Amino acid sequence: MPRFGGIATMMRLPHVENPAGLDVGFVGVPLDIGTSNRSGTRFGPRQIRTESVLLRPYNMATRAAPFDSLKVADLGDVALNPYSLLDSVRMIEEAYDAIYATGCKTISLGGDHTLTLPILRAMARHRGPVGLIHVDAHADVNDTMNGEKIAHGTPFRRAFEEGLLDPRRVVQIGLRGTGYHADDFDWCRAQGFRVVQAEECWHRSLAPLMEEVRAQMGDGPVYLTFDIDGLDPAFAPGTGTPEIGGLTVQQGMEIIRGCKGLDIVSADVVEVSPPYDQAGTTALVAANLAYEMLCVFPGVKYRA
């Protein structure tokens, strides 16, 4: 079957409904009712899968051979309630709780960043508080958004309050832009998070930073969450809240590749909005980043 034909599962992997026996499952979360600016991320998982058909099994740069090492499949999408964000959050949490109960890890395709909160809730029941590597233009630690406690700009405030994170092992990379308050990023630092603003990343490789991050994360469980708007909109225009001066694609790959050796328990790439991605560039980048995530999961073998 030529790459442009057939059913567009993630990387043309088998679609299975039961995660039992899998090491890693790709899961779509077609959510956008938690967004605060441009919607459209409900179409993100489908478009990421469409662009992913170009991907091949072996990583020619790192020599990672994930499909020689792990059992991987596409678990499809979580069914959501498009009329209720809180009900959708409940449905996501229940779906992931069932997945994690089988021992399967996940790489989630989104979908707005609200989705990470219910995933972390489910994860905490199985692995306890986790370290967090968070790539994003925004800290997503607002207390409320228009009076609401749950939205795509609040998940990590809620996760901290609920004890889902180990604050000594949280790093946020790529934060930038304008803010509603002068101390928007200071709340994160006050909780013990390491904040690496985008300006600190300009004109440099992030490999040395990731050496420090690996030391910070240690041997404990780590969740990796990558908001596509962490990248500059020159590389990823198809997102709801773009901010100039962001990371390059190469820096994003350095962050993910720098996670090799960590106890990655699951990951996500979120905020892909196809209506603002006319050439499919953002979804293509997201598909590649999701593959790079798979390549650094524990147990992946590397070809000599």
Side-chain angles (χ1 to χ4, degrees), residues 11-252:
M11 293 189 68
R12 306 201 300 177
L13 288 164
H15 171 226
V16 303
E17 295 184 0
N18 186 351
L22 294 180
D23 296 303
V24 182
F26 288 99
V27 184
V29 187
L31 181 72
D32 68 1
I33 51 177
T35 55
S36 58
N37 190 41
R38 306 190 305 199
S39 59
T41 53
R42 66 179 62 188
F43 304 112
R46 178 172 292 186
Q47 193 63 34
I48 293 170
R49 289 184 174 104
T50 295
E51 300 297 340
S52 77
V53 299
L54 186 62
L55 291 164
R56 304 167 186 88
Y58 297 98
N59 192 318
M60 304 308 291
T62 67
R63 310 288 290 179
F67 302 106
D68 290 359
S69 319
L70 304 176
K71 294 181 180 178
V72 186
D74 190 327
L75 294 174
D77 286 356
V78 178
L80 303 178
N81 180 348
Y83 305 105
S84 171
L85 179 58
L86 294 182
D87 194 38
S88 292
V89 166
R90 175 193 63 79
M91 297 168 81
I92 296 167
E93 184 176 344
E94 291 179 356
Y96 278 81
D97 196 31
I99 294 171
Y100 293 147
T102 70
C104 178
K105 298 178 180 179
T106 58
I107 299 176
S108 304
L109 313 173
D112 78 59
H113 220 157
T114 312
L115 66 88
T116 306
L117 175 61
I119 294 174
L120 290 173
R121 287 172 173 172
M123 176 62 68
R125 281 193 282 275
H126 299 276
R127 293 298 302 266
V130 297
L132 183 75
I133 298 175
H134 173 204
V135 183
D136 205 324
H138 313 97
D140 291 354
V141 295
N142 294 315
D143 185 30
T144 61
M145 298 187 75
N146 290 94
E148 297 296 325
K149 288 282 191 177
I150 302 295
H152 79 156
T154 69
F156 303 111
R157 173 78 70 112
R158 300 287 89 80
F160 171 80
E161 292 172 344
E162 295 176 20
L164 311 179
L165 303 177
D166 176 356
R168 300 164 301 171
R169 297 193 306 116
V170 174
V171 60
Q172 297 178 298
I173 305 172
L175 306 192
R176 62 189 189 278
T178 54
Y180 290 108
H181 305 283
D183 59 352
D184 273 355
F185 300 156
D186 294 339
W187 183 91
C188 309
R189 296 184 175 99
Q191 315 315 313
F193 300 0
R194 179 175 182 180
V195 175
V196 183
Q197 292 185 218
E199 293 80 3
E200 300 175 56
C201 303
W202 289 356
H203 315 301
R204 58 174 288 203
S205 166
L206 298 189
L209 169 65
M210 292 312 295
E211 290 182 13
E212 299 172 4
V213 170
R214 286 195 299 274
Q216 179 182 353
M217 295 296 148
D219 297 328
V222 178
Y223 187 92
L224 172 60
T225 181
F226 200 119
D227 188 323
I228 204 69
D229 72 26
L231 303 180
D232 191 87
F235 306 102
T239 191
T241 316
E243 306 280 2
I244 67 166
L247 305 178
T248 67
V249 173
Q250 291 89 337
Q251 288 175 319

